[in-house]
Amino acid sequence: AESDPAVAAASILARAAFLRGMKNLSRKFGVELRPGAGGPTLASGRAFLQKHDATMLRLVAKLHFSTTQQIGG
């Protein structure tokens, strides 16, 4: 846990903004985008690639991450 209340509050606000952004991107691209790594995230990435061209990945993923490579991006 963070001992500085201002840092803790900033972390909470940043996480909320991140999750809101993920939800907005999911709606925009018609695929539930999931943060992180692992099976659900890989499935989400593969679903994205079934609907969209691989060049669109740059709009929703960090291309240098291994998860992106695992889905074929």
Side-chain angles (χ1 to χ4, degrees):
E2 180 56 53
S3 61
D4 185 337
V7 174
S11 177
I12 291 167
L13 293 173
R15 178 72 177 170
F18 170 73
L19 293 174
R20 196 168 39 254
M22 291 291 289
K23 184 180 250 184
N24 289 338
L25 286 171
S26 293
R27 269 188 288 223
K28 179 178 179 177
F29 290 101
V31 176
E32 182 185 359
L33 299 172
R34 303 179 63 97
T41 301
L42 293 171
S44 176
R46 289 183 184 112
F48 182 90
L49 287 176
Q50 287 179 344
K51 282 187 108 169
H52 305 285
D53 187 82
T55 61
M56 300 295 283
L57 269 177
R58 66 182 174 76
L59 302 174
V60 299
K62 296 178 180 176
L63 301 181
H64 63 285
F65 277 30
S66 65
T67 302
T68 306
Q69 304 308 311
Q70 291 175 37
I71 64 167

